[in-house]
Amino acid sequence: DGGITQSPKYLFRKEGQNVTLSCEQNLNHDAMYWYRQDPGQGLRLIYYSQIVNDFQKGDIAEGYSVSREKKESFPLTVTSAQKNPTAFYLCASSIGSRGNQPQHFGDGTRLSIL
Amino acid sequence: ELKVEQNPLFLSMQEGKNYTIYCNYSTTSDRLYWYRQDPGKSLESLFVLLSNGAVKQEGRLMASLDTKARLSTLHITAAVHDLSATYFCAVDFWRDDKIIFGKGTRLHILP
């Protein structure tokens, strides 16, 4: 079955450490997204990518970095510059960035500070 | 400023009752999505609304879009406990190249 796989499900970060969240999709979608969700809040866009080797900052990109070397993969690195990283991170993909199809979401990674 | 506002943010209702969740947005768009999220889980797509007057129904849920009023509604008919979840609307402000999510409506249906 096609879908989006995020790993790990839970992640703990020590102070000063960079951590990387994995996102892989086998839906053959061009566009991929990273969102952050805080309790009681909606989703806020961190980064998105419409095509391989290209990505754009979202509304809250500071302290995060991404790469898009392959169509299927869009890893997110939470750097030590992100002072409040505790949140639920969701990766999504869609056929195109401006298609008429909804986004498909992974199961999320919950990141906490040790 | 691009805004998406949902109300109510929390709704507790009895089984068998009807209720409506509202999604208002700030500027013109004719592309709106509704998602469901169970606690600790991912988002599941419910409805895609792509034109003024669009209406979609699935079981006890019905969604509509009024682009002139910049309003979408998600109507729940004869609620059952299984519908307890958080519901999000997301608006594609395609002219500004942004998709904005509402804060979600946490729906709790009491048996």
Side-chain angles (χ1 to χ4, degrees):
Chain A
D1 284 342
I4 299 179
T5 302
Q6 287 187 243
S7 63
K9 193 175 176 70
Y10 300 96
L11 187 59
F12 299 91
R13 194 192 88 169
K14 295 180 181 178
E15 195 171 335
Q17 185 182 40
N18 294 350
V19 293
T20 297
L21 284 60
S22 171
C23 178
E24 303 277 331
Q25 55 101 356
N26 60 3
L27 298 166
N28 200 33
H29 285 174
D30 288 312
M32 296 187 75
Y33 311 80
W34 273 106
Y35 291 94
R36 171 179 171 141
Q37 186 178 27
D38 293 282
Q41 299 293 317
L43 277 66
R44 291 186 291 168
L45 183 65
I46 305 172
Y47 269 98
Y48 68 102
S49 169
Q50 298 175 351
I51 197 169
V52 174
N53 292 323
D54 187 45
F55 48 83
Q56 287 78 41
K57 292 182 179 179
D59 300 316
I60 54 165
E62 186 174 349
Y64 301 97
S65 66
V66 293
S67 64
R68 187 86 186 276
E69 297 177 2
K70 299 186 296 182
K71 187 175 184 177
E72 324 68 88
S73 179
F74 192 41
L76 172 74
T77 297
V78 184
T79 75
S80 56
Q82 173 50 246
K83 299 305 179 188
N84 183 25
T86 298
F88 189 48
Y89 291 86
L90 286 161
C91 178
S93 71
S94 61
I95 290 174
S97 63
R98 286 300 172 259
N100 296 332
Q101 300 295 321
Q103 294 173 325
H104 294 253
F105 286 84
D107 287 338
T109 293
R110 194 167 297 279
L111 176 61
S112 302
I113 296 179
L114 279 177
Chain B
E1 185 184 359
L2 303 175
K3 281 187 179 179
V4 177
E5 293 184 350
Q6 282 183 243
N7 68 84
L9 296 182
F10 182 79
L11 176 59
S12 182
M13 56 192 291
Q14 296 283 339
E15 274 192 325
K17 299 290 187 183
N18 303 335
Y19 209 82
T20 301
I21 299 169
Y22 298 90
C23 176
N24 294 273
Y25 54 96
S26 56
T27 58
T28 302
S29 174
D30 56 2
R31 296 178 190 174
L32 189 141
Y33 308 93
W34 283 97
Y35 295 89
R36 167 181 172 148
Q37 184 180 38
D38 291 297
K41 302 292 186 181
S42 184
L43 272 71
E44 172 193 356
S45 174
L46 293 174
F47 299 110
V48 178
L49 303 168
L50 299 174
S51 62
N52 185 40
V55 177
K56 296 279 184 73
Q57 183 164 4
E58 180 72 34
R60 301 175 187 272
L61 300 177
M62 183 173 71
S64 65
L65 178 62
D66 181 342
T67 59
K68 293 180 182 177
R70 299 173 190 162
L71 171 69
S72 178
T73 61
L74 180 65
H75 187 73
I76 302 145
T77 301
V80 293
H81 181 68
D82 285 352
L83 291 179
S84 296
T86 299
Y87 293 85
F88 290 94
C89 65
V91 180
D92 184 352
F93 295 106
W94 51 271
R95 291 183 181 89
D96 296 279
D97 197 28
K98 280 188 180 290
I99 296 175
I100 307 287
F101 281 76
K103 290 189 175 183
T105 296
R106 188 174 165 194
L107 178 63
H108 184 211
I109 297 172
L110 302 169

